[in-house]
Amino acid sequence: MAGDALLWIAAALAIAGVAVLRLSWGRPVRSAPLNIAGWGALIAALVAGDFAAGEWGITVTVLVATFAAFAALAVAALKPARKARAKTVRTSHSGSDEVSPTGRSGWLTFALAGPLALGASLLLALAVRALIVSAGGAEADGNVAVLATVPIAWPTLSFALLMMPRRIAQFGWVLGIAAVSAPFLLLQGGPA
């Protein structure tokens, strides 16, 4: 009973940590106290998950945090981008100044950091599984490796993608990881 309550506390801390980080990162200037509080809540969630059920508790906590982050990204992608105040050009001619359209870059960023990064991470995890099984490891070990790789690779790749200033680099990383990992799907049956 106590373990279940602690696991629920870990899940609540994970959601709270993601919410506080989203609040901090949504401000024009990031708040150091909010960042510390958000990351602290996520670390406390992992510790609580570990005490509640060991590695299984950590896995559940990471999944809850990942789902909360996915939901926060989905909500942010639905909101229209903030329009920068257009500077008026004071010239003698009369004409309309062109304002750059906000476009669909929010949706593209969401697609890259969300489902596409997840797909590349899953292919990477399946490649790790194939390597373990083809090297003589048990299928159960390969399956656990998949469960461990995706929650680590997806947020790491998403974070890296969000920090990249150019779309070509973002697409290059996602497609590169997928292209390198995809051939290992042929080894999923294990050694002949």
Side-chain angles (χ1 to χ4, degrees):
M1 279 299 207
D4 290 342
L6 199 52
L7 197 56
W8 281 105
I9 290 170
L13 283 169
I15 293 169
V18 170
V20 169
L21 286 174
R22 177 66 186 113
L23 175 70
S24 174
W25 295 347
R27 293 178 171 211
V29 177
R30 302 238 169 108
S31 167
L34 284 177
N35 281 347
I36 291 169
W39 287 111
L42 287 172
I43 291 169
L46 289 175
V47 170
D50 186 36
F51 279 125
E55 288 82 9
W56 179 252
I58 291 173
T59 303
V60 169
T61 303
V62 168
L63 287 173
V64 169
T66 302
F67 180 76
F70 184 77
L73 281 173
V75 169
L78 292 174
K79 291 181 181 178
R82 292 185 206 155
K83 293 184 180 179
R85 187 181 295 172
K87 294 181 181 180
T88 56
V89 179
R90 298 177 189 248
T91 60
S92 60
H93 78 304
S94 63
S96 63
D97 294 331
E98 291 184 342
V99 178
S100 63
T102 56
R104 291 179 173 84
S105 66
W107 281 105
L108 187 56
T109 300
F110 175 72
L112 276 166
L116 293 176
L118 174 61
S121 300
L122 186 58
L123 284 172
L124 177 66
L126 291 173
V128 169
R129 180 191 183 281
L131 289 172
I132 289 172
V133 172
S134 66
E139 280 197 40
D141 292 337
N143 294 340
V144 169
V146 169
L147 294 173
T149 303
V150 173
I152 294 170
W154 185 23
T156 303
L157 179 59
S158 293
F159 175 78
L161 292 173
L162 291 173
M163 295 297 114
M164 292 178 189
R166 300 182 59 207
R167 290 275 184 225
I168 191 78
Q170 293 172 330
F171 277 111
W173 272 94
V174 170
L175 296 175
I177 290 171
V180 167
S181 302
F184 290 97
L185 294 177
L186 299 174
L187 300 176
Q188 288 301 320

